[in-house]
Amino acid sequence: MCQPVLVSDQRETSVCVLGLGLIGGSVVRAAADAGRTVWGYNRSSSAVVDATAEGFDAADDLPAVLQRAQREHALIVIAVPMPAVDSVLTAITEHAPDCALTDVVSVKAEMLSAVERHGLAARYVGGHPMAGTSESGWAASTADLFHDAVWVVGTEADADPIVWSQVAQLALDCGSVVIPAESVEHDRAVARISHLPHLLAEALALSGAAGGDLALTLAAGSFRDGTRVAGTAPDLVRAMCEANSTALLIALDETVEVLKAARMALAAAASTADLVTAGHAAHTRYTHRQRWDITDITPGDDGWQDALRKAGRRGGALRAL
Amino acid sequence: MCQPVLVSDQRETSVCVLGLGLIGGSVVRAAADAGRTVWGYNRSSSAVVDATAEGFDAADDLPAVLQRAQREHALIVIAVPMPAVDSVLTAITEHAPDCALTDVVSVKAEMLSAVERHGLAARYVGGHPMAGTSESGWAASTADLFHDAVWVVGTEADADPIVWSQVAQLALDCGSVVIPAESVEHDRAVARISHLPHLLAEALALSGAAGGDLALTLAAGSFRDGTRVAGTAPDLVRAMCEANSTALLIALDETVEVLKAARMALAAAASTADLVTAGHAAHTRYTHRQRWDITDITPGDDGWQDALRKAGRRGGALRAL
């Protein structure tokens, strides 16, 4: 059995990464750099060949990889695309049912549901490193991808303190700071700051193009910046927005109401005062935001999950355990 | 009388600039660099003192400056803020009623109406150099502000070919390319590519801030770029958006409808396919836009205004007269 055990240093826990794409590959590299014992699995053998050639421990035999995780009490990191998650969870249930489990998928509530369906929730603490590039695959992975990034660690009301600490330590070892947040809170936050920006960029691009070549000829900095992420591959934008549709719907509805109110004020009084004043104040709050260090909460103490979540809501981050 | 006269080279026309702020000051510098005879007026004497100290011809006596324009058949460039336009037009009616007239105000239909109210429309061709910085005033003006910028030259159905050529030549002498466009078309285009981006940036900033410190802590590139212009001073945003409220209302209404349709698809089928596919195609059209040179239309020929407007609508620009 690989029951998580509280060790004096969570860094003694070995790490098993499933999926050697940009994120999973970068976890392997970063964990290895940090001195952690780490090995990986990838379904297609080309990434395995490339990783092995670079001296990393990788294989395309999922049962064997998971059986080793079970033997070595490893922390398993799910780093496959969302559509592949179910089959990976089935294999974990069979070959490594007692291992601590995390993931790097960008939407957390849907992932938590999948883990619950497979009866693995007791050992699961979700994760989301907020890092990425426009490239993908093992070849694009780097050991410093997560340096100075924020890594959300799922902090449900019933989170296991030992698993939570193992996941947080991995994030820290990869060079990130840890932001504690409940899955649903995480999804609502990224809907606002990552998925809604994509939809607004698409809508702005449409408005510009509707103005024809004259409008596009006159377009300058405000249009270029406002539409930049509309250049992202449609499949990627759809995948992340649609996986988070519940939270995105809330943010989108709010924004439609804000713009309808702005439309009324513009039609009635040729005024944009309310929107512009409030928007500028909100932007000032964003540019003046300050992350502060959470230092006084120990996983396992009474009410630690709630204390961490409250700290995360107020902009707190962990730099060390 | 300073009836515009067709000269073999429009560059013999001297230039009288009213208002020595960022744009007007830069016109003075650029026109002087191009070898044009140019002088300026400013209401406050500090800019006049500074400009004079740098060797430019400047004064704070508006009647005297305009009487010289009348004597020398100058092209008058109105470069004062919109609220000051009426009093300047009154002075022109009194002291330089026969001069050719242009302006650098960012909204063209409202400016045209003001000129018509003062009975000066026959000598007027509007202009809008699409250049600027976040700074203002004579001290911020530079001779190269308009280099490689686009300069919209108002091309109404009854535009005078001689005045039009004088205005276009000034834009070319300042280093810009000339985009011919009707006032109303110009205003609709800039509503889409300049004013709407500001309102969407304000709305996005509001949505992020509504997510609290957690959302702002997680915000990365897409939020930063999508909200950048919400950092612009509210007074500036309001001034440009509200002066163009009629055209902005059309663009805003369209965008609200686009987002409402996206909301319905997201709620009904968790799909963003329509918006993302169309938005990406629109962005591709923007990034692949190509400006082409208008070379075969001569102001004064039959139907020249309509031919130039059609060329402008198709992305055409003049690099020379």
Side-chain angles (χ1 to χ4, degrees):
Chain A
M1 295 283 284
C2 72
Q3 287 281 359
V5 286
L6 187 55
V7 290
S8 58
D9 187 346
Q10 302 293 351
R11 306 177 70 170
E12 295 173 17
T13 307
S14 56
V15 180
C16 168
V17 180
L18 308 180
L20 299 177
L22 170 67
I23 304 292
S26 296
V27 172
V28 168
R29 294 178 189 275
D33 265 14
R36 303 286 293 262
T37 299
V38 57
W39 65 93
Y41 155 83
N42 203 66
R43 192 178 59 161
S44 79
S45 58
S46 65
V48 172
V49 170
D50 291 348
T52 307
E54 288 189 67
F56 294 100
D57 193 343
D60 61 1
D61 181 344
L62 184 56
V65 164
L66 289 175
Q67 284 153 14
R68 178 178 172 193
Q70 175 83 353
R71 280 195 309 276
E72 299 193 21
H73 308 266
L75 169 64
I76 295 175
V77 182
I78 300 175
V80 298
M82 197 69 210
V85 163
D86 260 313
S87 67
V88 162
L89 288 171
T90 300
I92 292 171
T93 309
E94 184 175 352
H95 300 291
D98 305 305
C99 282
L101 196 61
T102 189
D103 73 293
V104 293
V105 175
S106 67
V107 178
K108 301 267 58 75
E110 188 178 349
M111 186 70 202
L112 180 58
S113 297
V115 169
E116 284 169 346
R117 281 196 306 275
H118 286 82
L120 293 166
R123 300 271 180 275
Y124 171 74
V125 165
H128 180 205
M130 308 278 296
T133 70
S134 55
E135 296 171 278
S136 61
W138 169 265
S141 67
T142 60
D144 63 359
L145 184 67
F146 310 113
H147 276 200
D148 297 323
V150 299
W151 190 313
V152 177
V153 175
T155 311
E156 311 309 309
D158 58 355
D160 183 291
I162 299 173
V163 178
W164 196 94
S165 300
Q166 290 179 342
V167 174
Q169 188 60 56
L170 177 64
L172 296 170
D173 284 350
C174 289
S176 295
V177 299
V178 168
I179 312 287
E182 218 173 346
S183 294
V184 168
E185 278 183 306
H186 164 276
D187 291 356
R188 287 182 184 161
V190 296
R192 294 178 183 282
I193 55 81
S194 175
H195 304 153
L196 181 63
H198 277 86
L199 297 192
L200 294 184
E202 310 283 8
L204 181 57
L206 277 176
S207 179
D213 290 329
L214 176 63
L216 297 180
T217 298
L218 301 186
S222 63
F223 188 78
R224 184 189 61 236
D225 289 354
T227 59
R228 185 183 61 83
V229 294
T232 311
D235 287 351
L236 293 180
V237 177
R238 289 190 57 191
M240 70 184 177
C241 287
E242 294 173 8
N244 199 23
S245 60
T246 305
L248 180 54
L249 196 56
I250 295 169
L252 182 55
D253 277 346
E254 280 179 17
T255 297
V256 167
E257 289 308 311
V258 163
L259 294 176
K260 279 164 70 178
R263 182 251 179 260
M264 295 304 290
L266 196 59
S271 173
T272 59
D274 289 351
L275 175 58
V276 171
T277 305
H280 184 263
H283 185 265
T284 302
R285 181 174 167 193
Y286 162 62
T287 54
H288 287 71
R289 74 196 182 287
Q290 290 201 315
R291 213 161 56 196
W292 52 274
D293 290 349
I294 303 170
T295 55
D296 55 351
I297 305 169
T298 306
D301 286 358
D302 268 1
W304 68 275
Q305 300 100 331
D306 198 44
L308 279 179
R309 286 199 304 244
K310 282 179 179 162
R313 275 178 216 131
R314 291 189 295 115
L318 283 105
R319 296 186 179 279
L321 278 184
Chain B
M1 297 284 285
C2 70
Q3 289 278 359
V5 286
L6 187 54
V7 290
S8 58
D9 187 345
Q10 303 293 352
R11 305 177 71 169
E12 295 173 20
T13 307
S14 57
V15 180
C16 168
V17 180
L18 307 181
L20 299 178
L22 171 67
I23 304 292
S26 295
V27 171
V28 167
R29 292 178 190 274
D33 266 14
R36 304 285 293 262
T37 299
V38 56
W39 65 94
Y41 154 82
N42 202 66
R43 193 180 57 160
S44 78
S45 58
S46 65
V48 171
V49 169
D50 292 347
T52 306
E54 289 189 66
F56 294 100
D57 194 342
D60 60 2
D61 181 343
L62 184 56
V65 164
L66 289 174
Q67 285 154 11
R68 178 178 170 193
Q70 174 85 351
R71 281 196 310 275
E72 298 192 23
H73 308 268
L75 169 63
I76 295 174
V77 181
I78 300 174
V80 298
M82 197 69 211
V85 163
D86 259 314
S87 68
V88 162
L89 288 171
T90 300
I92 292 171
T93 308
E94 184 175 352
H95 300 291
D98 305 305
C99 282
L101 196 61
T102 187
D103 72 294
V104 293
V105 176
S106 65
V107 177
K108 301 265 60 78
E110 188 178 348
M111 186 69 202
L112 180 58
S113 296
V115 169
E116 283 169 346
R117 280 197 305 276
H118 286 82
L120 294 166
R123 299 271 179 276
Y124 170 73
V125 165
H128 179 205
M130 308 277 296
T133 71
S134 55
E135 296 171 279
S136 61
W138 168 266
S141 67
T142 61
D144 62 0
L145 184 67
F146 310 113
H147 275 201
D148 297 323
V150 299
W151 191 313
V152 176
V153 175
T155 312
E156 311 309 309
D158 57 355
D160 181 292
I162 298 172
V163 177
W164 196 94
S165 300
Q166 289 178 344
V167 175
Q169 188 61 54
L170 176 64
L172 295 170
D173 284 350
C174 289
S176 295
V177 300
V178 167
I179 313 287
E182 219 174 346
S183 293
V184 168
E185 279 183 305
H186 163 278
D187 290 355
R188 288 182 183 161
V190 296
R192 294 178 182 283
I193 53 83
S194 175
H195 305 154
L196 180 63
H198 277 85
L199 296 192
L200 294 184
E202 310 283 8
L204 181 57
L206 277 177
S207 179
D213 290 329
L214 177 63
L216 297 180
T217 298
L218 302 185
S222 63
F223 188 78
R224 184 191 60 236
D225 288 357
T227 57
R228 185 182 59 84
V229 294
T232 312
D235 286 352
L236 293 179
V237 177
R238 288 190 58 189
M240 71 183 175
C241 287
E242 294 173 8
N244 198 22
S245 61
T246 305
L248 180 54
L249 195 58
I250 296 170
L252 181 55
D253 277 346
E254 281 179 15
T255 297
V256 167
E257 290 307 312
V258 163
L259 294 176
K260 279 165 69 178
R263 183 252 176 256
M264 295 303 289
L266 197 59
S271 173
T272 58
D274 289 352
L275 174 58
V276 172
T277 305
H280 184 263
H283 185 263
T284 302
R285 180 174 168 193
Y286 162 61
T287 55
H288 287 71
R289 73 197 183 285
Q290 291 201 314
R291 215 162 54 196
W292 53 273
D293 289 349
I294 303 169
T295 54
D296 55 350
I297 304 169
T298 305
D301 285 358
D302 268 2
W304 67 276
Q305 299 101 329
D306 198 45
L308 276 179
R309 287 199 304 241
K310 283 179 177 161
R313 274 178 217 131
R314 292 187 293 113
L318 284 105
R319 294 185 181 280
L321 279 185

